[in-house]
Coordinates of all heavy atoms in Angstrom, one line a residue:
M1 N -69.9 -29.0 -104.4 CA -70.8 -28.1 -103.8 C -72.3 -28.6 -103.9 O -72.6 -29.3 -104.9 CB -70.8 -26.7 -104.5 CG -69.4 -26.0 -104.4 SD -69.0 -25.5 -102.7 CE -69.8 -23.9 -102.6
T2 N -73.0 -28.3 -102.9 CA -74.4 -28.7 -102.9 C -75.3 -27.3 -102.8 O -75.0 -26.4 -102.1 CB -74.8 -29.5 -101.6 OG1 -74.0 -30.7 -101.6 CG2 -76.2 -29.8 -101.6
T3 N -76.3 -27.3 -103.7 CA -77.2 -26.2 -103.7 C -78.3 -26.4 -102.7 O -78.9 -27.5 -102.8 CB -77.8 -25.9 -105.1 OG1 -76.7 -25.7 -106.0 CG2 -78.7 -24.7 -105.1
I4 N -78.5 -25.5 -101.8 CA -79.5 -25.7 -100.8 C -80.5 -24.5 -100.9 O -80.1 -23.4 -100.8 CB -78.9 -25.8 -99.4 CG1 -77.9 -26.9 -99.3 CG2 -80.0 -25.9 -98.3 CD1 -77.2 -27.0 -97.9
Q5 N -81.8 -24.9 -101.1 CA -82.8 -23.9 -101.0 C -83.4 -23.9 -99.6 O -83.7 -25.0 -99.1 CB -83.9 -24.2 -102.0 CG -85.0 -23.1 -102.1 CD -86.0 -23.5 -103.1 OE1 -86.5 -24.6 -103.2 NE2 -86.4 -22.4 -103.8
V6 N -83.4 -22.8 -99.0 CA -83.8 -22.7 -97.6 C -85.1 -21.9 -97.4 O -85.2 -20.8 -98.0 CB -82.7 -22.0 -96.7 CG1 -83.1 -22.0 -95.3 CG2 -81.4 -22.6 -97.0
I7 N -86.1 -22.4 -96.7 CA -87.3 -21.7 -96.4 C -87.1 -21.2 -94.9 O -87.0 -22.0 -94.0 CB -88.6 -22.5 -96.5 CG1 -88.7 -23.1 -97.9 CG2 -89.8 -21.8 -96.1 CD1 -89.8 -24.2 -98.1
R8 N -87.0 -19.9 -94.7 CA -86.7 -19.4 -93.4 C -88.0 -19.3 -92.6 O -89.1 -19.4 -93.1 CB -86.0 -18.0 -93.6 CG -84.7 -18.2 -94.4 CD -83.8 -17.0 -94.3 NE -83.4 -16.8 -92.9 CZ -82.5 -15.9 -92.6 NH1 -81.9 -15.2 -93.5 NH2 -82.2 -15.7 -91.4
R9 N -87.8 -19.0 -91.3 CA -89.0 -19.0 -90.4 C -90.0 -17.9 -90.8 O -91.1 -18.0 -90.6 CB -88.5 -18.7 -89.0 CG -88.0 -19.9 -88.3 CD -87.9 -19.8 -86.8 NE -87.3 -21.0 -86.3 CZ -86.2 -21.0 -85.6 NH1 -85.5 -19.9 -85.4 NH2 -85.7 -22.2 -85.2
N10 N -89.5 -16.8 -91.4 CA -90.4 -15.7 -91.8 C -91.0 -16.0 -93.2 O -91.7 -15.1 -93.7 CB -89.6 -14.4 -91.8 CG -88.5 -14.3 -92.8 OD1 -88.3 -15.2 -93.7 ND2 -87.7 -13.2 -92.8
G11 N -90.7 -17.2 -93.7 CA -91.3 -17.6 -95.0 C -90.5 -17.1 -96.2 O -90.8 -17.5 -97.3
S12 N -89.5 -16.3 -96.0 CA -88.6 -16.0 -97.2 C -87.8 -17.2 -97.6 O -87.5 -18.1 -96.9 CB -87.8 -14.8 -96.8 OG -86.8 -15.1 -95.8
L13 N -87.4 -17.1 -98.9 CA -86.5 -18.1 -99.5 C -85.1 -17.6 -99.6 O -84.8 -16.4 -99.9 CB -87.0 -18.5 -100.9 CG -88.4 -19.2 -101.0 CD1 -88.7 -19.4 -102.4 CD2 -88.3 -20.5 -100.2
A14 N -84.1 -18.5 -99.4 CA -82.8 -18.2 -99.6 C -82.2 -19.4 -100.3 O -82.6 -20.6 -100.2 CB -82.0 -18.0 -98.3
Q15 N -81.1 -19.2 -101.1 CA -80.4 -20.2 -101.8 C -78.9 -20.1 -101.5 O -78.4 -19.0 -101.6 CB -80.7 -20.2 -103.3 CG -80.0 -21.4 -104.0 CD -80.5 -21.6 -105.4 OE1 -81.8 -21.8 -105.6 NE2 -79.7 -21.7 -106.4
I16 N -78.3 -21.2 -101.0 CA -76.9 -21.1 -100.7 C -76.1 -22.2 -101.4 O -76.7 -23.3 -101.8 CB -76.7 -21.3 -99.2 CG1 -77.0 -22.6 -98.6 CG2 -77.4 -20.2 -98.4 CD1 -76.7 -22.9 -97.2
E17 N -74.9 -22.0 -101.7 CA -74.0 -23.0 -102.2 C -73.2 -23.5 -101.0 O -72.5 -22.8 -100.3 CB -73.1 -22.4 -103.2 CG -73.8 -21.9 -104.5 CD -74.6 -23.0 -105.2 OE1 -74.1 -24.1 -105.3 OE2 -75.7 -22.7 -105.6
A18 N -73.3 -24.8 -100.7 CA -72.8 -25.4 -99.5 C -71.6 -26.2 -99.7 O -71.5 -26.9 -100.8 CB -73.9 -26.3 -98.8
A19 N -70.7 -26.2 -98.8 CA -69.5 -27.1 -98.8 C -69.8 -28.5 -98.3 O -70.4 -28.6 -97.2 CB -68.4 -26.5 -98.0
Q20 N -69.5 -29.5 -99.2 CA -69.9 -30.8 -98.8 C -69.2 -31.4 -97.7 O -69.6 -32.4 -97.1 CB -69.9 -31.7 -100.1 CG -70.9 -31.3 -101.1 CD -70.9 -32.1 -102.4 OE1 -69.8 -32.6 -102.8 NE2 -72.0 -32.4 -102.9
A21 N -68.1 -30.8 -97.3 CA -67.3 -31.4 -96.2 C -67.9 -30.9 -94.8 O -67.5 -31.5 -93.8 CB -65.8 -30.9 -96.3
L22 N -68.8 -30.0 -94.8 CA -69.4 -29.5 -93.6 C -70.8 -30.0 -93.4 O -71.5 -30.4 -94.4 CB -69.4 -27.9 -93.6 CG -68.1 -27.2 -93.8 CD1 -68.3 -25.7 -93.9 CD2 -67.2 -27.6 -92.6
S23 N -71.3 -30.0 -92.2 CA -72.6 -30.4 -91.9 C -73.6 -29.4 -92.5 O -73.2 -28.2 -92.8 CB -72.9 -30.6 -90.4 OG -72.9 -29.3 -89.8
L24 N -74.8 -29.8 -92.6 CA -75.9 -28.8 -93.0 C -76.0 -27.6 -92.1 O -76.0 -26.5 -92.5 CB -77.2 -29.5 -93.1 CG -78.4 -28.7 -93.4 CD1 -78.3 -27.9 -94.8 CD2 -79.7 -29.5 -93.4
M25 N -75.9 -27.9 -90.8 CA -75.9 -26.8 -89.8 C -74.8 -25.8 -90.0 O -75.0 -24.5 -90.0 CB -75.9 -27.3 -88.4 CG -75.8 -26.3 -87.3 SD -74.2 -25.7 -86.9 CE -73.5 -26.9 -85.9
E26 N -73.6 -26.3 -90.2 CA -72.4 -25.4 -90.4 C -72.6 -24.6 -91.6 O -72.3 -23.4 -91.7 CB -71.2 -26.3 -90.4 CG -70.8 -26.9 -89.1 CD -69.7 -27.9 -89.2 OE1 -69.8 -28.8 -90.2 OE2 -68.8 -28.0 -88.4
N27 N -73.1 -25.2 -92.6 CA -73.3 -24.4 -93.9 C -74.4 -23.4 -93.7 O -74.2 -22.2 -94.2 CB -73.7 -25.4 -95.0 CG -72.5 -26.0 -95.7 OD1 -71.8 -25.3 -96.4 ND2 -72.3 -27.3 -95.5
L28 N -75.5 -23.7 -93.0 CA -76.5 -22.7 -92.9 C -75.9 -21.5 -92.0 O -76.2 -20.3 -92.4 CB -77.7 -23.3 -92.1 CG -78.5 -24.4 -93.0 CD1 -79.5 -25.1 -92.1 CD2 -79.2 -23.7 -94.2
R29 N -75.2 -21.8 -91.0 CA -74.7 -20.7 -90.1 C -73.7 -19.9 -90.9 O -73.7 -18.7 -90.8 CB -73.9 -21.4 -88.9 CG -74.9 -22.1 -87.9 CD -75.6 -21.2 -87.0 NE -74.6 -20.4 -86.2 CZ -74.9 -19.3 -85.6 NH1 -76.1 -18.8 -85.6 NH2 -74.0 -18.6 -84.9
R30 N -72.8 -20.5 -91.6 CA -71.8 -19.8 -92.4 C -72.4 -18.9 -93.5 O -71.8 -17.9 -93.9 CB -70.9 -20.8 -93.1 CG -69.8 -21.4 -92.3 CD -68.9 -22.2 -93.1 NE -67.7 -22.6 -92.4 CZ -66.5 -22.8 -92.9 NH1 -66.4 -22.8 -94.2 NH2 -65.5 -23.1 -92.1
S31 N -73.6 -19.2 -93.9 CA -74.3 -18.5 -94.9 C -75.2 -17.4 -94.4 O -75.9 -16.7 -95.1 CB -75.1 -19.4 -95.8 OG -74.3 -20.4 -96.4
G32 N -75.1 -17.2 -93.0 CA -75.9 -16.2 -92.4 C -77.3 -16.5 -92.1 O -78.1 -15.6 -91.8
I33 N -77.7 -17.8 -92.1 CA -79.1 -18.2 -91.8 C -79.1 -18.2 -90.3 O -78.9 -19.2 -89.7 CB -79.4 -19.5 -92.4 CG1 -79.1 -19.5 -93.9 CG2 -80.9 -19.9 -92.1 CD1 -80.0 -18.6 -94.8
D34 N -79.5 -17.1 -89.7 CA -79.4 -17.0 -88.2 C -80.6 -17.5 -87.5 O -80.7 -17.4 -86.3 CB -79.0 -15.6 -87.8 CG -80.0 -14.5 -88.3 OD1 -81.0 -14.9 -88.9 OD2 -79.8 -13.3 -88.1
D35 N -81.5 -18.1 -88.3 CA -82.7 -18.8 -87.6 C -82.1 -20.0 -86.9 O -82.7 -20.5 -85.9 CB -83.6 -19.3 -88.7 CG -84.1 -18.3 -89.7 OD1 -83.2 -17.5 -90.2 OD2 -85.3 -18.2 -90.0
I36 N -81.0 -20.5 -87.4 CA -80.3 -21.6 -86.8 C -79.3 -21.2 -85.7 O -78.4 -20.5 -86.0 CB -79.5 -22.5 -87.8 CG1 -80.5 -23.1 -88.9 CG2 -78.7 -23.5 -87.2 CD1 -81.4 -24.2 -88.4
I37 N -79.7 -21.4 -84.4 CA -78.8 -21.0 -83.3 C -77.7 -21.9 -83.1 O -76.6 -21.5 -82.9 CB -79.7 -20.8 -82.1 CG1 -80.8 -19.7 -82.4 CG2 -78.8 -20.4 -80.9 CD1 -81.8 -19.6 -81.2
A38 N -77.9 -23.2 -83.1 CA -76.9 -24.2 -82.9 C -76.2 -24.0 -81.5 O -75.0 -24.0 -81.5 CB -75.9 -24.3 -84.0
L39 N -76.9 -23.9 -80.5 CA -76.4 -23.5 -79.2 C -75.4 -24.5 -78.7 O -74.4 -24.1 -78.0 CB -77.6 -23.5 -78.2 CG -77.5 -22.8 -76.9 CD1 -77.2 -21.3 -77.2 CD2 -78.8 -22.9 -76.1
C40 N -75.5 -25.8 -79.0 CA -74.6 -26.8 -78.4 C -73.4 -27.0 -79.4 O -72.5 -27.8 -79.1 CB -75.3 -28.1 -78.1 SG -75.7 -29.1 -79.6
G41 N -73.3 -26.3 -80.5 CA -72.3 -26.4 -81.4 C -72.2 -27.7 -82.2 O -71.2 -28.1 -82.8
G42 N -73.3 -28.4 -82.3 CA -73.4 -29.6 -83.1 C -73.2 -30.9 -82.3 O -73.0 -31.9 -82.9
N43 N -73.4 -30.8 -81.0 CA -73.2 -32.0 -80.1 C -74.6 -32.7 -79.9 O -74.6 -33.5 -78.9 CB -72.6 -31.6 -78.8 CG -71.1 -31.3 -79.0 OD1 -70.4 -31.9 -79.7 ND2 -70.7 -30.1 -78.5
R44 N -75.6 -32.4 -80.7 CA -76.9 -33.2 -80.6 C -77.5 -33.1 -79.2 O -78.2 -34.0 -78.8 CB -76.5 -34.7 -80.8 CG -77.5 -35.4 -81.7 CD -77.0 -36.9 -81.9 NE -76.2 -37.4 -80.9 CZ -75.2 -38.2 -81.2 NH1 -74.8 -38.4 -82.3 NH2 -74.5 -38.7 -80.1
S45 N -77.4 -31.9 -78.6 CA -78.0 -31.8 -77.3 C -78.8 -30.5 -77.1 O -79.3 -30.3 -76.0 CB -76.8 -31.8 -76.2 OG -76.0 -30.7 -76.4
C46 N -79.1 -29.8 -78.1 CA -79.9 -28.5 -78.0 C -81.2 -28.5 -78.8 O -82.1 -27.9 -78.5 CB -79.1 -27.3 -78.2 SG -78.6 -27.0 -79.9
A47 N -81.1 -29.1 -80.0 CA -82.1 -29.1 -81.0 C -82.5 -27.7 -81.5 O -83.5 -27.5 -82.2 CB -83.4 -29.8 -80.5
T48 N -81.6 -26.7 -81.4 CA -81.9 -25.4 -81.9 C -81.4 -25.3 -83.4 O -81.4 -24.3 -84.0 CB -81.1 -24.3 -81.1 OG1 -79.8 -24.5 -81.2 CG2 -81.6 -24.2 -79.7
C49 N -81.1 -26.5 -84.0 CA -80.7 -26.6 -85.4 C -81.8 -27.4 -86.2 O -81.6 -27.9 -87.3 CB -79.4 -27.2 -85.5 SG -79.4 -29.0 -85.0
H50 N -83.0 -27.5 -85.6 CA -84.1 -28.4 -86.1 C -84.6 -27.8 -87.5 O -84.9 -26.7 -87.6 CB -85.2 -28.3 -85.1 CG -86.4 -29.2 -85.5 ND1 -87.6 -29.0 -84.9 CD2 -86.5 -30.2 -86.3 CE1 -88.5 -29.9 -85.4 NE2 -87.9 -30.6 -86.3
V51 N -84.6 -28.7 -88.5 CA -85.1 -28.4 -89.8 C -86.0 -29.5 -90.3 O -86.1 -30.6 -89.7 CB -83.9 -28.2 -90.8 CG1 -83.0 -27.0 -90.4 CG2 -83.1 -29.5 -90.9
Y52 N -86.7 -29.2 -91.3 CA -87.5 -30.2 -92.1 C -86.9 -30.4 -93.4 O -86.6 -29.4 -94.1 CB -89.0 -29.7 -92.3 CG -89.7 -29.4 -90.9 CD1 -90.3 -28.1 -90.8 CD2 -89.7 -30.3 -89.9 CE1 -91.0 -27.8 -89.6 CE2 -90.4 -30.0 -88.7 CZ -91.0 -28.7 -88.6 OH -91.7 -28.4 -87.4
I53 N -86.7 -31.7 -93.8 CA -86.3 -32.0 -95.1 C -87.2 -33.1 -95.7 O -87.3 -34.2 -95.2 CB -84.8 -32.6 -95.1 CG1 -83.9 -31.6 -94.4 CG2 -84.3 -32.9 -96.5 CD1 -82.5 -32.2 -94.0
D54 N -87.9 -32.7 -96.8 CA -88.9 -33.6 -97.4 C -88.2 -34.8 -98.0 O -88.6 -36.0 -97.8 CB -89.7 -32.9 -98.5 CG -90.7 -32.0 -97.9 OD1 -91.1 -32.2 -96.7 OD2 -91.1 -31.0 -98.5
D55 N -87.2 -34.6 -98.9 CA -86.5 -35.7 -99.6 C -85.2 -35.9 -98.9 O -84.2 -35.1 -99.1 CB -86.3 -35.3 -101.0 CG -85.6 -36.5 -101.8 OD1 -85.3 -37.5 -101.2 OD2 -85.4 -36.2 -103.0
Q56 N -85.1 -37.0 -98.1 CA -83.9 -37.2 -97.3 C -83.0 -38.3 -97.9 O -82.0 -38.8 -97.3 CB -84.2 -37.6 -95.9 CG -85.0 -36.5 -95.1 CD -85.1 -36.7 -93.7 OE1 -84.5 -37.6 -93.1 NE2 -86.0 -36.0 -93.0
S57 N -83.3 -38.7 -99.2 CA -82.5 -39.7 -99.9 C -81.0 -39.1 -100.0 O -80.8 -38.0 -100.4 CB -83.1 -40.1 -101.2 OG -83.4 -38.9 -102.0
G58 N -80.1 -40.0 -99.8 CA -78.7 -39.6 -99.9 C -78.1 -39.0 -98.7 O -76.9 -38.6 -98.6
L59 N -78.9 -38.8 -97.6 CA -78.4 -38.1 -96.4 C -78.0 -39.1 -95.3 O -77.4 -38.7 -94.3 CB -79.5 -37.2 -95.8 CG -80.0 -36.0 -96.7 CD1 -81.0 -35.2 -96.0 CD2 -78.8 -35.2 -97.2
G60 N -78.2 -40.4 -95.6 CA -77.8 -41.3 -94.6 C -78.8 -41.5 -93.5 O -79.8 -40.8 -93.4
E61 N -78.6 -42.6 -92.7 CA -79.5 -43.0 -91.7 C -79.5 -42.0 -90.5 O -78.4 -41.6 -90.1 CB -79.2 -44.4 -91.2 CG -79.6 -45.5 -92.3 CD -81.0 -45.7 -92.4 OE1 -81.7 -45.9 -91.4 OE2 -81.5 -45.8 -93.6
M62 N -80.7 -41.8 -89.9 CA -80.7 -41.0 -88.7 C -80.3 -42.0 -87.5 O -80.7 -43.1 -87.5 CB -82.1 -40.5 -88.4 CG -82.2 -39.7 -87.2 SD -84.0 -39.2 -86.8 CE -84.5 -38.5 -88.3
T63 N -79.5 -41.4 -86.6 CA -79.1 -42.3 -85.5 C -80.2 -42.3 -84.4 O -81.0 -41.4 -84.4 CB -77.8 -41.8 -84.8 OG1 -78.1 -40.5 -84.2 CG2 -76.6 -41.7 -85.8
K64 N -80.1 -43.3 -83.5 CA -81.1 -43.4 -82.4 C -81.0 -42.1 -81.5 O -82.0 -41.6 -81.1 CB -80.8 -44.6 -81.6 CG -81.9 -44.8 -80.5 CD -81.6 -46.0 -79.7 CE -82.7 -46.3 -78.6 NZ -83.1 -45.1 -77.8
D65 N -79.8 -41.6 -81.3 CA -79.6 -40.4 -80.5 C -80.3 -39.2 -81.1 O -81.0 -38.4 -80.4 CB -78.2 -40.1 -80.2 CG -77.5 -41.1 -79.3 OD1 -78.2 -41.8 -78.6 OD2 -76.3 -41.2 -79.2
E66 N -80.2 -39.1 -82.4 CA -80.9 -37.9 -83.1 C -82.4 -38.2 -83.0 O -83.1 -37.2 -82.7 CB -80.4 -37.8 -84.5 CG -81.1 -36.7 -85.3 CD -80.7 -36.6 -86.7 OE1 -79.9 -37.4 -87.2 OE2 -81.2 -35.7 -87.4
A67 N -82.8 -39.3 -83.3 CA -84.3 -39.6 -83.2 C -84.8 -39.4 -81.8 O -85.9 -38.8 -81.6 CB -84.6 -41.0 -83.6
D68 N -84.1 -39.7 -80.8 CA -84.5 -39.5 -79.4 C -84.6 -38.0 -79.1 O -85.6 -37.5 -78.5 CB -83.5 -40.1 -78.4 CG -83.6 -41.6 -78.4 OD1 -84.6 -42.2 -78.9 OD2 -82.7 -42.3 -77.8
M69 N -83.6 -37.2 -79.6 CA -83.7 -35.8 -79.3 C -84.9 -35.2 -80.0 O -85.7 -34.4 -79.5 CB -82.4 -35.1 -79.8 CG -82.4 -33.6 -79.8 SD -82.6 -32.9 -78.1 CE -81.0 -33.3 -77.4
L70 N -85.1 -35.6 -81.3 CA -86.2 -35.0 -82.0 C -87.6 -35.4 -81.4 O -88.5 -34.6 -81.5 CB -86.2 -35.6 -83.5 CG -85.1 -34.9 -84.4 CD1 -84.9 -35.8 -85.6 CD2 -85.3 -33.5 -84.7
S71 N -87.7 -36.6 -80.8 CA -88.9 -37.0 -80.2 C -89.4 -36.1 -79.1 O -90.5 -36.2 -78.7 CB -88.8 -38.5 -79.8 OG -88.0 -38.6 -78.7
C72 N -88.5 -35.3 -78.5 CA -88.8 -34.4 -77.4 C -89.4 -33.1 -77.9 O -89.8 -32.3 -77.1 CB -87.6 -34.2 -76.6 SG -86.8 -35.6 -75.9
L73 N -89.4 -32.8 -79.2 CA -89.8 -31.5 -79.7 C -91.2 -31.4 -80.0 O -91.9 -32.3 -80.5 CB -89.0 -31.2 -81.0 CG -87.5 -31.3 -80.8 CD1 -86.8 -31.0 -82.2 CD2 -87.0 -30.3 -79.8
I74 N -91.8 -30.2 -79.7 CA -93.2 -30.0 -79.9 C -93.5 -30.0 -81.4 O -94.5 -30.5 -81.9 CB -93.6 -28.6 -79.4 CG1 -93.5 -28.6 -77.8 CG2 -95.0 -28.2 -79.8 CD1 -93.5 -27.2 -77.2
H75 N -92.5 -29.4 -82.2 CA -92.8 -29.3 -83.6 C -92.2 -30.4 -84.5 O -91.9 -30.2 -85.7 CB -92.2 -27.9 -84.1 CG -92.8 -26.8 -83.4 ND1 -94.1 -26.4 -83.6 CD2 -92.3 -25.9 -82.5 CE1 -94.4 -25.3 -82.9 NE2 -93.4 -25.0 -82.1
Q76 N -92.0 -31.5 -83.9 CA -91.4 -32.7 -84.7 C -92.4 -33.2 -85.7 O -93.6 -33.2 -85.5 CB -91.1 -33.8 -83.7 CG -90.4 -34.9 -84.5 CD -90.6 -36.3 -84.0 OE1 -91.5 -36.5 -83.1 NE2 -89.8 -37.2 -84.4
R77 N -91.9 -33.5 -86.9 CA -92.6 -34.1 -88.0 C -91.8 -35.3 -88.5 O -90.7 -35.4 -88.2 CB -92.8 -33.1 -89.2 CG -93.6 -31.8 -88.9 CD -93.7 -31.0 -90.2 NE -94.1 -29.7 -90.0 CZ -93.9 -28.7 -90.8 NH1 -93.3 -29.0 -92.0 NH2 -94.4 -27.5 -90.6
D78 N -92.4 -36.0 -89.4 CA -91.7 -37.1 -90.1 C -90.5 -36.6 -90.8 O -89.5 -37.3 -90.9 CB -92.6 -37.8 -91.1 CG -93.7 -38.6 -90.4 OD1 -93.6 -38.9 -89.2 OD2 -94.7 -39.0 -91.1
Q79 N -90.5 -35.3 -91.3 CA -89.4 -34.8 -92.1 C -88.3 -34.1 -91.2 O -87.4 -33.5 -91.7 CB -89.9 -33.7 -93.0 CG -91.0 -34.2 -94.0 CD -92.4 -34.2 -93.4 OE1 -92.6 -33.8 -92.3 NE2 -93.3 -34.7 -94.2
S80 N -88.5 -34.2 -89.9 CA -87.5 -33.5 -89.0 C -86.1 -34.1 -89.0 O -86.0 -35.3 -89.1 CB -88.0 -33.6 -87.5 OG -89.1 -32.8 -87.3
R81 N -85.1 -33.2 -88.9 CA -83.8 -33.6 -88.7 C -83.1 -32.5 -87.9 O -83.5 -31.4 -87.9 CB -83.0 -33.7 -90.1 CG -83.4 -34.8 -91.0 CD -83.2 -36.2 -90.5 NE -81.9 -36.5 -90.0 CZ -81.0 -37.2 -90.8 NH1 -81.3 -37.6 -92.0 NH2 -79.8 -37.4 -90.3
L82 N -82.0 -33.0 -87.2 CA -81.1 -32.0 -86.6 C -80.1 -31.7 -87.7 O -79.3 -32.6 -88.1 CB -80.4 -32.6 -85.3 CG -81.3 -33.0 -84.2 CD1 -80.5 -33.7 -83.1 CD2 -82.1 -31.8 -83.6
S83 N -80.0 -30.4 -88.1 CA -79.1 -30.1 -89.2 C -77.7 -30.3 -88.9 O -76.9 -30.5 -89.8 CB -79.4 -28.7 -89.7 OG -79.1 -27.7 -88.7
C84 N -77.3 -30.3 -87.6 CA -75.9 -30.6 -87.2 C -75.5 -32.1 -87.5 O -74.3 -32.4 -87.5 CB -75.6 -30.2 -85.8 SG -76.5 -31.2 -84.6
Q85 N -76.5 -32.9 -87.7 CA -76.2 -34.3 -87.9 C -76.4 -34.7 -89.4 O -76.2 -35.9 -89.7 CB -77.2 -35.2 -87.0 CG -77.1 -34.9 -85.6 CD -75.7 -35.1 -85.0 OE1 -75.1 -36.2 -85.2 NE2 -75.1 -34.1 -84.4
V86 N -76.8 -33.8 -90.2 CA -77.0 -34.0 -91.6 C -75.7 -33.8 -92.4 O -75.3 -32.6 -92.5 CB -78.2 -33.2 -92.1 CG1 -78.3 -33.4 -93.7 CG2 -79.5 -33.6 -91.4
L87 N -75.2 -34.8 -93.1 CA -74.0 -34.7 -94.0 C -74.5 -34.6 -95.4 O -75.4 -35.4 -95.8 CB -73.1 -35.8 -93.8 CG -72.6 -36.0 -92.3 CD1 -71.7 -37.2 -92.2 CD2 -71.8 -34.8 -91.9
I88 N -74.0 -33.7 -96.2 CA -74.6 -33.4 -97.5 C -73.6 -33.9 -98.6 O -73.9 -33.5 -99.8 CB -74.9 -31.9 -97.6 CG1 -73.7 -31.1 -97.4 CG2 -76.0 -31.5 -96.6 CD1 -73.9 -29.6 -97.8
H89 N -72.6 -34.6 -98.3 CA -71.6 -34.9 -99.3 C -72.1 -35.7 -100.5 O -71.5 -35.7 -101.5 CB -70.4 -35.6 -98.7 CG -70.7 -36.9 -97.9 ND1 -70.9 -38.1 -98.6 CD2 -71.0 -37.1 -96.6 CE1 -71.2 -39.0 -97.7 NE2 -71.3 -38.4 -96.5
A90 N -73.2 -36.4 -100.3 CA -73.7 -37.3 -101.4 C -74.9 -36.7 -102.2 O -75.5 -37.4 -103.0 CB -74.1 -38.6 -100.8
V91 N -75.2 -35.4 -101.9 CA -76.3 -34.8 -102.6 C -75.9 -33.5 -103.3 O -75.0 -32.8 -102.8 CB -77.5 -34.5 -101.7 CG1 -78.1 -35.8 -101.2 CG2 -77.2 -33.6 -100.6
D92 N -76.5 -33.2 -104.5 CA -76.2 -32.0 -105.2 C -77.2 -30.9 -104.9 O -76.9 -29.7 -105.1 CB -76.2 -32.2 -106.7 CG -75.1 -33.2 -107.1 OD1 -74.1 -33.2 -106.6 OD2 -75.4 -34.0 -108.1
Y93 N -78.4 -31.3 -104.4 CA -79.4 -30.3 -104.2 C -80.2 -30.8 -102.9 O -80.4 -31.9 -102.7 CB -80.4 -30.2 -105.4 CG -81.5 -29.3 -105.1 CD1 -81.5 -27.9 -105.2 CD2 -82.8 -29.9 -104.8 CE1 -82.6 -27.1 -104.9 CE2 -83.9 -29.0 -104.5 CZ -83.8 -27.6 -104.6 OH -84.8 -26.9 -104.3
L94 N -80.6 -29.8 -102.2 CA -81.4 -30.1 -101.0 C -82.4 -28.9 -100.7 O -82.1 -27.8 -100.9 CB -80.5 -30.2 -99.8 CG -80.9 -31.0 -98.6 CD1 -81.2 -32.5 -98.9 CD2 -79.7 -31.0 -97.5
R95 N -83.6 -29.2 -100.3 CA -84.6 -28.2 -99.9 C -84.8 -28.4 -98.4 O -85.2 -29.5 -98.0 CB -85.9 -28.4 -100.8 CG -86.8 -27.3 -100.6 CD -87.9 -27.5 -101.6 NE -88.8 -26.3 -101.7 CZ -89.9 -26.1 -101.0 NH1 -90.3 -27.1 -100.2 NH2 -90.7 -25.1 -101.1
V96 N -84.7 -27.3 -97.7 CA -84.7 -27.3 -96.2 C -85.6 -26.3 -95.7 O -85.6 -25.2 -96.2 CB -83.3 -27.1 -95.7 CG1 -83.3 -27.0 -94.2 CG2 -82.3 -28.2 -96.1
E97 N -86.4 -26.6 -94.8 CA -87.3 -25.6 -94.1 C -86.8 -25.5 -92.7 O -86.7 -26.6 -91.9 CB -88.7 -26.0 -94.2 CG -89.7 -25.0 -93.5 CD -91.2 -25.4 -93.6 OE1 -91.5 -26.4 -94.3 OE2 -92.0 -24.7 -92.9
I98 N -86.6 -24.3 -92.2 CA -86.2 -24.2 -90.8 C -87.5 -24.3 -89.9 O -88.5 -23.7 -90.1 CB -85.7 -22.7 -90.5 CG1 -84.6 -22.4 -91.5 CG2 -85.2 -22.6 -89.1 CD1 -83.4 -23.2 -91.5
A99 N -87.4 -25.2 -88.9 CA -88.5 -25.5 -88.1 C -88.8 -24.3 -87.1 O -87.9 -23.5 -86.8 CB -88.2 -26.8 -87.2
P100 N -90.0 -24.2 -86.7 CA -90.3 -23.2 -85.7 C -89.5 -23.3 -84.4 O -89.1 -24.4 -84.0 CB -91.8 -23.3 -85.3 CG -92.3 -24.2 -86.4 CD -91.2 -25.1 -86.9
E101 N -89.3 -22.2 -83.7 CA -88.6 -22.2 -82.5 C -89.4 -22.9 -81.5 O -90.7 -22.8 -81.4 CB -88.4 -20.7 -82.1 CG -87.2 -20.5 -81.2 CD -86.8 -19.0 -81.0 OE1 -87.5 -18.2 -81.7 OE2 -86.0 -18.7 -80.3
E102 N -88.8 -23.7 -80.6 CA -89.5 -24.4 -79.6 C -89.8 -23.5 -78.4 O -89.1 -22.6 -78.1 CB -88.6 -25.6 -79.1 CG -88.4 -26.6 -80.1 CD -89.7 -27.5 -80.4 OE1 -90.4 -27.8 -79.5 OE2 -89.9 -27.8 -81.6
Ligands
FES1 S1 -76.6 -27.8 -82.9 FE1 -77.4 -28.5 -81.0 S2 -78.5 -30.3 -81.6 FE2 -77.7 -29.5 -83.4

């Protein structure tokens, strides 16, 4: 399991215990974090799963397709990721902020 601390859009904090076999997006959705819409179901084509992750060590490299999608967003930062593309199997703890709605 991975412990994830979530900063929601309204500023509130949540903590979830996440299954390492699932993506970050799937874990957030399963835990009732409905700030994450995930309209495309994880196919890297909607960006409604946009999050910020300060410490991305252990999460693997971002693909060019993910970087291209993020580059189209108004609220993109250096810490941006599509949570549907983030695998958490190699980390025990993660701090995630839900990005503003586009
Ligand atoms: S769920 Fe659509 S890009 Fe992540």
Side-chain angles (χ1 to χ4, degrees):
M1 297 293 273
T2 298
T3 300
I4 302 178
Q5 186 179 42
V6 184
I7 304 170
R8 300 191 64 168
R9 283 199 182 115
N10 64 8
S12 67
L13 293 178
Q15 184 163 305
I16 66 172
E17 297 300 319
Q20 294 183 324
L22 301 175
S23 72
L24 176 57
M25 176 275 280
E26 291 168 314
N27 275 293
L28 292 171
R29 294 278 304 161
R30 280 184 168 208
S31 300
I33 308 292
D34 56 6
D35 311 44
I36 295 289
I37 298 171
L39 201 59
C40 75
N43 288 316
R44 221 176 28 221
S45 60
C46 72
T48 61
C49 65
H50 183 199
V51 296
Y52 303 126
I53 305 172
D54 287 335
D55 182 1
Q56 299 190 14
S57 50
L59 298 181
E61 291 286 313
M62 184 186 305
T63 65
K64 183 180 182 315
D65 287 343
E66 181 182 357
D68 287 348
M69 174 61 73
L70 288 167
S71 71
C72 300
L73 302 179
I74 295 168
H75 300 290
Q76 186 209 14
R77 297 182 195 163
D78 290 345
Q79 302 83 3
S80 287
R81 293 297 306 262
L82 296 177
S83 60
C84 67
Q85 302 301 304
V86 174
L87 302 178
I88 59 169
H89 57 83
V91 295
D92 295 328
Y93 174 81
L94 203 57
R95 189 169 189 267
V96 173
E97 179 179 354
I98 310 296
E101 207 167 353
E102 292 289 320

